[in-house]
């Protein structure tokens, strides 16, 4: 069978008829580039999807059983160390104390003996020790396999408060934390401290742990450090005492006259020294008019109205 002959498409006027063009065939190079683009776009599409992680291999039954047995073994070992005879505290030592009461230290530290070292709460023990009057810092350390050592730093005394019963060491915070017998020699480290001789009946029962009021301690230290020259005196040093009638009384360390400055406002029945400078000026004025060895008592509790009594057998000294 013969196909009908295709007529030629008429061309423009005066031109030859144009024969139909065959379909263009892609070149081998273009085909290769298209394949590469399809592979590249397909790869990107695969990477843009969600990534699936491979499932973790589960432990075999024997592995899980072994891990459980190991955990039980470790727990049992720890329990044996805590409750067994090993790592039990047998020795407790301490150092750095001069004024702390040994009985109070023993009451806190002795119960540690026989307990396990692993269960020791060093922070709690340190806090209890620092609650004692003389202790400023307590460092608790464990010493394997069976020891505990405590290093102390005690408070620094700023004044010796002497009563009719004992001499007390007082810190800057006013807390009494140590005591020295009246008949004992003062240690060198405290011998140069200010000494206040408190002869009031109320001071007889002061003990370590008690507190000296801040206003009383402050006034005592001011009077103890007072320059005798400001009073017009030739004394080398002044001593301070407190009695129930005249309050704070200043006397030369070599003896002789006394000057009553009164008590702080906390003491009933005594006038408060409202102006220490005025009291000092009143004593200085008196010594400018009278030799200090002829004066027995100067009462400057009220600096606006000063009384004085001569020294000697005929004089009277209520303080």
């Amino acid at each position: 069978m013969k196909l009908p002959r295709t007529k030629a498409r008429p061309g423009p006027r005066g031109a030859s008829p144009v024969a139909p063009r065959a379909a263009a065939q892609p070149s081998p190079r273009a085909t290769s580039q298209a394949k590469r683009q399809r592979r590249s776009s397909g790869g990107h599409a695969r990477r843009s999807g969600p990534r699936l992680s491979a499932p973790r291999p589960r432990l075999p039954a024997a592995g899980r059983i072994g891990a459980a047995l190991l955990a039980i073994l470790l727990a049992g070992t720890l329990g044996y160390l805590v409750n067994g005879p090993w790592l039990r505290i047998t020795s407790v030592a301490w150092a750095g104390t001069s004024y702390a009461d040994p009985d109070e230290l023993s009451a806190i530290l002795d119960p540690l003996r026989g307990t396990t070292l692993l269960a020791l709460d060093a922070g709690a023990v340190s806090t209890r020790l620092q609650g004692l009057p003389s202790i400023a810092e307590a460092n608790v350390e464990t010493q394997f396999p069976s020891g505990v050592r405590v290093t102390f730093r005690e408070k620094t005394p700023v004044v010796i408060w002497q009563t009719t019963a004992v001499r007390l060491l007082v810190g800057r915070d006013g807390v009494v934390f140590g005591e020295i017998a009246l008949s004992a020699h003062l240690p060198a480290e405290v011998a140069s401290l200010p000494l206040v001789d408190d002869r009031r009946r109320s001071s007889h029962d002061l003990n370590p742990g008690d507190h000296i009021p801040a206003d009383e301690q402050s006034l005592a230290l001011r009077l103890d450090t007072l320059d005798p020259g400001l009073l017009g005196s030739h004394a080398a040093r002044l001593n301070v005492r407190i009695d129930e009638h005249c309050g704070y009384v200043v006397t030369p360390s070599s003896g002789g006259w006394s000057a009553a400055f009164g008590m702080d406002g906390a003491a009933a029945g005594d006038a408060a020294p409202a102006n220490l400078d005025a009291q000092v000026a009143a004593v200085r004025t008196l010594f400018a008019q009278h030799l200090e060895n002829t004066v027995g008592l100067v009462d400057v509790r009220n600096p606006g109205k000063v009384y004085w009594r001569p020294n000697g057998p005929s004089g009277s000294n209520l303080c």
Side-chain angles (χ1 to χ4, degrees):
M1 175 178 163
K2 293 183 178 180
L3 294 177
R5 183 174 298 176
T6 304
K7 295 180 179 180
R9 182 166 49 87
R13 181 177 297 179
S16 301
V18 179
R21 287 185 293 179
Q25 296 295 327
S27 66
R29 182 177 181 182
T31 303
S32 176
Q33 289 179 348
K35 289 181 179 180
R36 285 198 298 270
Q37 289 176 356
R38 285 197 299 271
R39 283 198 299 268
S40 175
S41 62
H44 284 300
R46 285 194 298 272
R47 283 196 293 271
S48 63
R51 299 183 63 183
L52 299 178
S53 58
R56 296 180 180 179
R58 299 180 61 185
L59 290 175
R64 292 197 298 271
I65 294 174
L69 291 176
L70 179 60
I72 295 173
L73 178 62
L74 292 176
T77 302
L78 180 60
Y80 179 75
L81 290 175
V82 172
N83 300 309
W86 301 98
L87 300 178
R88 292 283 175 176
I89 298 174
T90 60
S91 65
V92 180
W94 65 81
T97 59
S98 299
Y99 309 113
D101 187 343
D103 293 336
E104 292 180 337
L105 293 176
S106 297
I108 298 175
L109 296 176
D110 283 352
L112 299 180
R113 291 186 171 89
T115 62
T116 176
L117 205 63
L118 296 178
L120 175 66
D121 189 344
V125 176
S126 176
T127 299
R128 290 188 61 193
L129 291 170
Q130 289 172 181
L132 299 179
S134 69
I135 303 302
E137 183 179 349
N139 183 26
V140 180
E141 298 178 333
T142 56
Q143 295 182 322
F144 285 92
S146 60
V148 172
R149 180 174 178 81
V150 185
T151 304
F152 292 103
R153 181 176 64 83
E154 291 191 303
K155 296 179 180 178
T156 301
V158 297
V159 63
I160 299 175
W161 206 270
Q162 180 174 295
T163 71
T164 56
V166 69
R167 287 176 289 193
L168 303 169
L169 299 176
V170 183
R172 192 169 300 278
D173 56 0
V175 175
V176 178
F177 65 83
E179 58 183 17
I180 301 173
L182 293 175
S183 59
H185 180 72
L186 284 175
E189 61 269 17
V190 299
S192 60
L193 290 177
L195 189 147
V196 179
D197 185 8
D198 191 347
R199 301 181 183 181
R200 294 172 295 176
R201 288 188 297 271
S202 59
S203 68
H204 180 81
D205 296 327
L206 286 174
N207 292 293
D210 292 334
H211 187 271
I212 303 296
D215 48 6
E216 294 187 17
Q217 181 176 339
S218 175
L219 181 57
L221 292 175
R222 288 178 65 189
L223 291 173
D224 182 85
T225 57
L226 189 61
D227 183 1
L230 295 176
L231 298 173
S233 171
H234 296 90
R237 180 178 172 81
L238 300 176
N239 293 333
V240 180
R241 74 170 188 266
I242 312 174
D243 64 36
E244 294 178 341
H245 182 72
C246 295
Y248 282 80
V249 179
V250 171
T251 59
S253 56
S254 57
W257 54 268
S258 300
F261 284 81
M263 280 293 295
D264 196 89
D270 292 317
N275 191 338
L276 183 60
D277 292 338
Q279 293 173 311
V280 170
V283 176
R284 185 170 60 247
T285 300
L286 178 65
F287 285 162
Q289 299 172 357
H290 303 276
L291 296 175
E292 64 176 305
N293 60 3
T294 65
V295 177
L297 170 66
V298 184
D299 187 348
V300 289
R301 286 177 288 182
N302 181 1
K305 197 171 184 180
V306 177
Y307 296 93
W308 73 281
R309 297 180 178 89
N311 196 7
S314 59
S316 59
N317 189 343
L318 296 177
C319 297

